[in-house]
Amino acid sequence: MRTDRSYAWIISLGLVSAAGTAAAEDAPPADAAAKPALPSVSDILTASGITATGYVDTTFAYQHIQQTNTDYNTFALQQAALTLSYLPTSGFGAMVNVLDGESPYDATGVAVSSSKTEQQNGFTGAPSFYLMQAYLQYVVGPLTVQAGKFATLAGAETWNPTTNSQVTRSLLFAAEPVTNTGLRLTYAATSTLNVILGVNNGWFASEDVSTGSGKTLEAAVAFTPSKTLSATAQIYYGREFLANYGVTGNSGLFDSVVTWTATDTLSVGASVDYGWVQNTSTSPSAKWYGVALYGTLALNDQFHVSLRPEYLADKDGYLSGAPHDHGVDLKEITATLGYDPIKSVEVRLEGRYDAPTDNSAATTSKSTQLWAEAYYKF
């Protein structure tokens, strides 16, 4: 019995020793335990409240211009964008939005396939880095103050392809500001009504850097009475450089956008513009107006179709750079099929037909375009 107990003690001590050795081998070195793993960039951003978003947008485009019997086709990296923002619901915040892109969009994301520029530029251009937005923000109660460079209030479309339902931009988009540089105040009067006032360098040719001492005032109201209906109205008016006349003068733009989600699968909308420049001692007055209609129908969870018919009357030829003694009527219709294989990816196929008419010479430069687009957003 004593011998058996001695063997038992020896075996027990051996097992304890083996377990201790195994535990020592499995345990991390003391210096490793003292050095915790470094946090990732996403961890740092999340902890600091900074949001990082972006997208990469690529296309293939074909365009035929009837008047010159000219064809273009090209692959392009339309835009690669990154946005860093810290915009709390109260106190100070900031946002920076940068992008890089190449033809057939210019740096601000304006499609040169818009009738305003397609005949001048075709598919020419080069990649260009662009600071789209950069502003400071301060929120106190219902008041938001922004200072810097920010997205314009005008229009139904933006430079960001992920916020639009179609590949190309509208005619109205080419006649509206893209961004404004200045000071903007937004007051939430009620849960459904915002009132906006601001002053900036200009809305047309001088949206980034003022060419004179004149400034442009902006005023807007945004009304959202329900989840299915929204309406905005905004006006820009001020003194800036009138590029097509080569002089400084007064100009204005009135814009209104209405969007209605008719059903779970159908949304429709309309955008209306009226713009003008006042006469100076060396240049005449000019005006233009237009309307774009929008419709998007979801066929299922992944496929949707969009349609945009549009008309823009450049009554005095100012937008088109035509002689002042006649105007130019611009018309286009665009149809798009969109496919979302996953939430962060969209593929689009689009057909567009432009038919501008020179009212003096009675000539047209009709354009047919076919587009394929794919973007990834994060």
Side-chain angles (χ1 to χ4, degrees):
M1 293 292 294
R2 183 178 301 175
T3 303
D4 293 339
R5 289 179 182 175
S6 297
Y7 283 129
W9 276 105
I10 292 172
I11 293 173
S12 299
L13 289 173
L15 292 175
V16 170
S17 176
T21 301
E25 292 176 351
D26 293 340
D31 58 341
K35 297 179 180 179
L38 293 176
S40 65
V41 174
S42 60
D43 291 337
I44 296 174
L45 293 176
T46 300
S48 64
I50 298 175
T51 300
T53 59
Y55 56 85
V56 176
D57 178 36
T58 63
T59 65
F60 175 79
Y62 165 82
Q63 180 183 32
H64 174 77
I65 298 177
Q66 179 175 310
Q67 185 178 21
T68 58
N69 194 30
T70 305
D71 294 287
Y72 300 94
N73 69 85
T74 185
F75 291 98
L77 169 64
Q78 298 290 10
Q79 294 181 28
L82 176 65
T83 299
L84 295 177
S85 62
Y86 175 68
L87 301 173
T89 55
S90 64
F92 286 99
M95 193 255 259
V96 176
N97 172 210
V98 295
L99 63 84
D100 194 3
E102 61 184 357
S103 166
Y105 286 166
D106 66 17
T108 62
V110 180
V112 299
S113 58
S114 296
S115 295
K116 177 184 177 183
T117 54
E118 67 180 357
Q119 298 171 42
Q120 301 172 358
N121 299 319
F123 287 122
T124 62
S128 57
F129 180 81
Y130 198 75
L131 179 63
M132 184 59 71
Q133 296 185 90
Y135 62 83
L136 299 176
Q137 177 174 290
Y138 181 70
V139 181
V140 52
L143 180 64
T144 299
V145 181
Q146 295 173 321
K149 185 180 181 183
F150 30 70
T152 187
L153 301 173
E157 302 172 18
T158 75
W159 70 87
N160 184 341
T162 70
T163 65
N164 302 324
S165 59
Q166 297 179 300
V167 182
T168 61
R169 309 306 195 276
S170 64
L171 300 170
L172 298 189
F173 180 82
E176 298 164 344
V178 179
T179 59
N180 299 112
T181 301
L183 178 68
R184 176 179 294 168
L185 282 70
T186 301
Y187 180 74
T190 69
S191 60
T192 61
L193 178 66
N194 285 348
V195 179
I196 305 169
L197 292 173
V199 59
N200 54 64
N201 287 340
W203 71 270
F204 206 161
S206 311
E207 66 177 64
D208 292 329
V209 179
S210 179
T211 56
S213 59
K215 289 293 177 284
T216 290
L217 297 176
E218 65 176 16
V221 291
F223 182 50
T224 309
S226 69
K227 293 181 179 180
T228 61
L229 181 64
S230 66
T232 67
Q234 36 275 329
I235 187 168
Y236 287 87
Y237 180 75
R239 187 172 181 80
E240 64 178 320
F241 183 69
L242 306 177
N244 287 358
Y245 284 163
V247 299
T248 299
N250 295 329
S251 66
L253 172 71
F254 171 80
D255 167 79
S256 181
V257 178
V258 177
T259 303
W260 177 43
T261 304
T263 69
D264 292 340
T265 60
L266 176 65
S267 65
V268 294
S271 179
V272 178
D273 278 4
Y274 178 81
W276 71 95
V277 295
Q278 295 178 211
N279 64 301
T280 71
S281 59
T282 59
S283 63
S285 62
K287 62 182 178 181
W288 60 91
Y289 54 83
V291 59
L293 303 178
Y294 300 86
T296 299
L297 176 66
L299 304 178
N300 53 42
D301 291 341
Q302 293 184 312
F303 286 92
H304 65 270
V305 291
S306 299
L307 185 67
R308 181 187 63 212
E310 185 180 13
Y311 172 73
L312 175 61
D314 187 9
K315 300 302 292 182
D316 301 293
Y318 181 81
L319 297 177
S320 307
H324 185 76
D325 59 355
H326 64 276
V328 177
D329 290 334
L330 306 171
K331 300 176 286 291
E332 67 94 3
I333 186 168
T334 302
T336 309
L337 172 65
Y339 169 58
D340 303 329
I342 58 176
K343 186 177 181 180
S344 58
V345 173
E346 182 166 353
V347 179
R348 295 169 177 166
L349 298 177
E350 179 169 297
R352 172 169 174 154
Y353 179 72
D354 285 78
T357 302
D358 186 318
N359 295 330
S360 174
T363 60
T364 62
S365 181
K366 297 177 181 179
S367 170
T368 302
Q369 303 161 45
L370 299 174
W371 292 77
E373 178 183 45
Y375 68 74
Y376 173 82
K377 61 182 179 180
F378 58 90

